[in-house]
Structures are given as structure tokens and as C-alpha cells.
Amino acid sequence: VIEIPLELGARRYSITVGHGASRLLPDLLGGLAGRPALVVSDRRVWSLHGRRLGPSLRRLGAREPVLLPGGETHKSWQTLGALLGTLMRSGLRRDGLLIAVGGGVVGDVAGLAAALYMRGIDWVVVPTTLLAMVDSAIGGKVGVNHARSKNAAGAFHQPRAVVADPELLATLPDRQLRSGAYEILKCGVIGDRALVRSLVEGPASPRDWSRPALENAIASAIRLKAEVVERDERERDLRRVLNLGHTIGHALEAVTRYRRFTHGEAVGWGLLGAAWLARERGLLSDANCEAITSATDRLGPRPSLAGLSPEPLLAAIARDKKVRTGRLTFVLPTAIGRVRVVEDVERAEARRALRALTAVDRSKRPRTR
Ligand SMILES: NC(=O)c1ccc[n+]([C@@H]2O[C@H](COP(=O)([O-])OP(=O)(O)OC[C@H]3O[C@@H](n4cnc5c(N)ncnc54)[C@H](O)[C@@H]3O)[C@@H](O)[C@H]2O)c1
Ligand SMILES: [Zn+2]
């Protein structure tokens, strides 16, 4: 197994990556074992993996899991409220431990419940999607959506441990796997050339990556995010670099009401848009722009941009909470493994980038005869 420390002084914790790691929870959690524990998961994850995880969780002292309804629409106040009610009825006290087993939705809701219950109890995460392993489970951001706004309410509440077991990914649909792979590529473009090289040289589909290749890709992405979080836990400045591909990505998700793209697919499109913008500004060479484009496309097909015009996307970008001034903020790649936060992107520039994306997309779609 690979162990990655997240250094946050007294709140330091370890992120473990390894095939089979989820069956070794009692050993990996060391000092946390033996405390009253409650597992929170979703129905789908538990029906697929409950049997495998049960014994190791029971050895930890956990009782029957609390199963949340799955899916982004349930990352809500209602789910959070119901979970807090269950925690109260369970009699869990301040010394209790909450164990989140699932994708980003379970992690975000359970983490926020852990942050709020009795003003904060300890929690650990066992992410079960690739996206959760490399992104949502790392860094302590937790939250729920409001009907009108994604991640409208949340907190920073670091877990005490993260255990990422790639064996759990065997049951994950291809699209979900690719979704995580786009985030891994994003991490490489932000700051890990070797990671990008390994993605380009290995099999295209994450399904075909060897065990060590998968573990290494996950660990490299986590290392990058962990380093950024260590230096800027509360997203004052540096942590913004992690939003590479997310300015356009979030807008694509919002205008399609989170139905057309998975998060990673939207980030894949956003990565291309950022590379194009950077090249137009003379910040990125043609060769590097082309390398980022082909590395992105290699990960597989993304749902098309058909029917999406620039104006609603621009409006969505401007509404995004990450916008600080009248002009738009973008994270732009300046090389493979290096990015810069640019705060003065004109709407017209962004519009051209969006047009370029739709043109690329159209040229790739098979013509209807
Ligand atoms: N907190 C953060 O810093 C952060 C960062 C990135 C994303 N997020 C959040 O993460 C969420 C997306 O996470 P996600 O992509 O993991 O989605 P998800 O949690 O909705 O999981 C996707 C689907 O896969 C199922 N699933 C989970 N594990 C499985 C497995 N091993 N096999 C088969 N099916 C499985 C789930 O039941 C669900 O239906 C979003 O809400 C996003 O806002 C948070
Ligand atoms: Zn993301």
C-alpha cells in the first residue's frame, strides 16, 4: 500500500491507497478503532460492497450502516437533516466516529453531518468512486446543495483518515471511471508531468490500467491535491489552482442541470477550453496545447456540446462564486505541469474559447446522412 501524509499540524492524517486496503480498516485506523462507530453509505454501494466491507467494519465496532439515497439530487438539506436525526437517535456521542463509505455525494453529506453533529465529531472516508478517491475525499471540504445552488452550504472538516481501495472500482460503470480519470489528468497538468506521461503511455481506458498503474495514478493525484491543501487549507489563494478546467466545467454542468455530463466529463471539456484560452494568450505553446488536447481526448468520449450556445454558459461562469471582479477568473496551463491563475479574462475571450470548443465538438461528431 501507498501512504500519503496530509500535514496539518495536530490534525495531520494519512491517506492510504492500495488494493484490498478497505478490508484492513481496523489495522489502518489504529488509534481510532474501538470507539463507537457509525457507518454511512448509500444503497447501491452497500448492496455491491457491504459483504466485503462488513467484517472489517464490524471488527471496528460499527453497527448496521445508515444508508442514504444515492445521487446528486439527494445531496441536500433533507438528507443531511435525516442523517443528523439518525445520529441523535443512535446515541453517538462526542467521542463517536463516523465512517463514510461511498462516492462524493455520501462523503460530502456524511462529512457535513460529522462537522455539525455536537459541533464536530471525528470521521473517516472510504471513497468508492475514482472521483472521490482523487478529489472529493481529499482536503476536508464537505457540503450539500441548495435547490438553486450547488454546494451552497458546507464546512471545512478534515477526516482523521482516508482509505482508498481501487478494488472497489471494479463495479463502477465506465463513465464514472472516466470521470475520475479526467480529474487525474487535471492534477497532472497542474503539477505532475510524469503523471501526464504515464497516462499518455498507458492503455487509454482506466479499465485497462494495471493495478500498480492505477494505484500510482490515484496516489499521484492525491499527492498533488494534498500538497496544495497543506499550503492553503481554506482556499484563500493557492488552492484555486485545483479549479483548472472547472470554470467552464461548472458552467456546462449548470446549464445542462447536471444531467448531460458527469462532473469529470465537464472538467474534460473545461480543460480543453482552458488550454485553448492559454494558447490564444500566448501563455501555452501550440505543442503543449495539442498535447493536453490529445491526452484529454484519449481518455474517451464525452457527451457532446450540441445545442449549448456561449451566452448562457458565460452567464453561468459569471454567476459562479469563484468570480471576483467584473472580469472572469480562469486557471490556465502554461506548460504541462504548470498553471497560472488569471483574473482578467474578458468575456469576449471566453466566448471565443467556448465557440472553439463547440466547433471542435461538431467536427468530431459523425455527420447525419
Ligand atoms: N468535497 C470536495 O472537495 C469535492 C470535490 C469534487 C467533487 N465533490 C462532489 O462529489 C460529488 C460527485 O461524486 P461522485 O462522482 O463520486 O458521485 P456519486 O457519489 O453520486 O457516485 C456516483 C454513483 O456511483 C455509485 N457508486 C459509488 N461507488 C460505486 C462503486 N464502487 N461501484 C458502483 N457504483 C458506485 C453511487 O451510488 C452513485 O450512484 C458531487 O456532489 C461533487 O460536488 C466534492
Ligand atoms: Zn472537480
Side-chain angles (χ1 to χ4, degrees):
V1 298
I2 305 172
E3 213 174 296
I4 302 153
L6 208 144
E7 301 289 354
L8 291 168
R11 291 172 300 129
R12 164 188 207 284
Y13 62 93
S14 279
I15 301 156
T16 307
V17 182
H19 281 81
S22 64
R23 283 175 283 152
L24 305 171
L25 282 175
D27 311 309
L28 291 170
L29 297 186
L32 296 170
R35 294 165 41 170
L38 200 74
V39 176
V40 180
S41 187
D42 74 26
R43 295 192 188 108
R44 182 170 165 72
V45 169
W46 200 253
S47 73
L48 290 167
H49 297 288
R51 260 164 183 269
R52 170 205 294 266
L53 297 171
S56 131
L57 289 167
R58 274 193 296 278
R59 272 200 289 139
L60 263 181
R63 293 164 270 180
E64 277 301 290
V66 181
L67 299 184
L68 308 179
E72 188 70 35
T73 49
H74 294 289
K75 191 172 124 175
S76 63
W77 287 112
Q78 286 78 358
T79 310
L80 177 70
L83 177 55
L84 288 171
T86 308
L87 290 175
M88 284 168 207
R89 280 191 301 280
S90 77
L92 205 66
R93 296 205 306 250
R94 273 245 54 194
D95 66 345
L97 182 70
L98 202 151
I99 305 172
V101 180
V105 168
V106 167
D108 279 10
V109 177
L112 184 54
L116 296 173
Y117 186 65
M118 298 191 164
R119 295 206 174 77
I121 61 169
D122 286 339
W123 72 300
V124 301
V125 203
V126 181
T128 64
T129 64
L130 187 54
L131 184 99
M133 290 181 190
V134 299
D135 196 356
S136 66
I138 313 300
K141 276 211 282 178
V142 294
V144 294
N145 303 329
H146 183 270
R148 297 184 52 122
S149 170
K150 200 165 143 66
N151 296 324
F156 288 97
H157 188 51
Q158 298 289 346
R160 297 288 308 273
V162 179
V163 177
D165 179 354
E167 261 178 22
L168 300 173
L169 302 175
T171 54
L172 200 65
D174 279 344
R175 271 188 84 186
Q176 298 289 339
L177 208 54
R178 279 205 293 276
S179 184
Y182 286 115
E183 290 277 7
I184 293 177
L185 174 62
K186 175 205 80 174
C187 289
V189 174
I190 292 171
D192 190 340
R193 250 186 109 76
L195 173 58
V196 176
R197 196 176 317 124
S198 71
L199 294 179
V200 172
E201 287 170 359
S205 162
R207 186 72 71 202
D208 303 325
W209 297 351
S210 69
R211 276 177 165 224
L214 181 58
E215 282 179 8
N216 281 324
I218 294 171
S220 302
I222 292 175
R223 236 176 249 122
L224 181 115
K225 184 161 183 185
E227 274 166 25
V228 173
V229 170
E230 280 169 0
R231 286 156 64 194
D232 179 22
E233 188 185 0
R234 301 227 155 195
E235 201 159 321
R236 299 241 146 74
D237 193 38
L238 177 69
R239 194 165 167 169
R240 287 190 294 163
V241 301
L242 297 170
N243 284 324
L244 172 65
H246 284 61
T247 312
I248 292 175
H250 283 151
L252 288 171
E253 289 184 279
V255 301
T256 55
R257 299 184 180 193
Y258 300 91
R259 290 198 188 113
R260 191 186 301 189
F261 307 96
T262 64
H263 175 68
E265 288 166 346
V267 169
W269 279 119
L271 200 53
L272 295 190
W276 196 89
L277 245 169
R279 193 196 57 188
E280 286 300 292
R281 287 203 150 201
L283 293 173
L284 183 69
S285 70
D286 288 352
N288 279 335
C289 183
E290 172 54 32
I292 292 172
T293 306
S294 66
T296 308
D297 285 344
R298 200 164 173 273
L299 290 177
R302 293 175 299 277
S304 106
L305 303 173
L308 303 178
S309 47
E311 293 316 313
L313 287 167
L314 282 171
I317 290 173
R319 267 197 308 272
D320 199 312
K321 61 183 184 295
K322 274 137 199 151
V323 172
R324 291 188 172 179
T325 57
R327 293 178 176 183
L328 307 170
T329 299
F330 272 84
V331 182
L332 299 181
T334 57
I336 295 180
R338 190 169 299 174
V339 288
R340 181 187 300 174
V341 179
V342 173
E343 297 190 309
D344 64 347
V345 174
E346 304 278 357
R347 267 169 166 263
E349 259 180 295
R351 187 180 295 115
R352 280 199 299 278
L354 293 169
R355 288 232 174 83
L357 282 186
T358 39
V360 170
D361 180 36
R362 252 197 315 276
S363 72
K364 286 202 179 126
R365 243 178 290 146
R367 292 215 174 81
T368 41
R369 287 159 200 256

